Amino acid sequence: TLPADLVLKSIGYKGRPLPGLEELGSNSNVESDSEDVSVFDEQRGVIRNVAGRVSGEERLYASGWIKRGPSGIIGTNITDARDTVASMMED
């Protein structure tokens, strides 16, 4: 056993789309066999993005697990957030 005051379980989570998300991304430049590409990648459980910019949308951003999938540690999230914020500031 390991003494601990707090334990957080965060293994195996996968993003799911919110209602209305399927309406976004109609202008997406994501390569696909289909013309209708959702901004949400069902298989990976992430929002399609480039450097945090949601694909096919202006001034809409993603960060964290919904951006890259359920992986990494707190430091990974900080680096990931900085990447997204840099895109926001650039825009």
Side-chain angles (χ1 to χ4, degrees), residues 12-26:
Y13 291 97
K14 183 176 180 182
R16 294 185 296 177
L18 294 172
L21 194 60
E22 67 278 355
E23 297 168 12
L24 299 177
S26 58

Side-chain angles (χ1 to χ4, degrees), residues 31-75:
E31 291 183 24
S32 172
D33 294 336
S34 169
E35 286 185 24
D36 253 350
V37 176
S38 170
V39 298
F40 191 75
D41 182 330
E42 291 277 351
Q43 186 164 350
R44 293 179 50 223
V46 299
I47 292 178
R48 299 176 200 276
N49 71 91
V50 176
R53 293 178 180 100
V54 174
S55 299
E57 295 296 318
E58 287 187 28
R59 298 188 184 276
L60 190 60
Y61 306 90
S63 188
W65 284 7
I66 202 65
K67 176 181 171 185
R68 68 173 190 286
S71 64
I73 58 174
I74 292 171

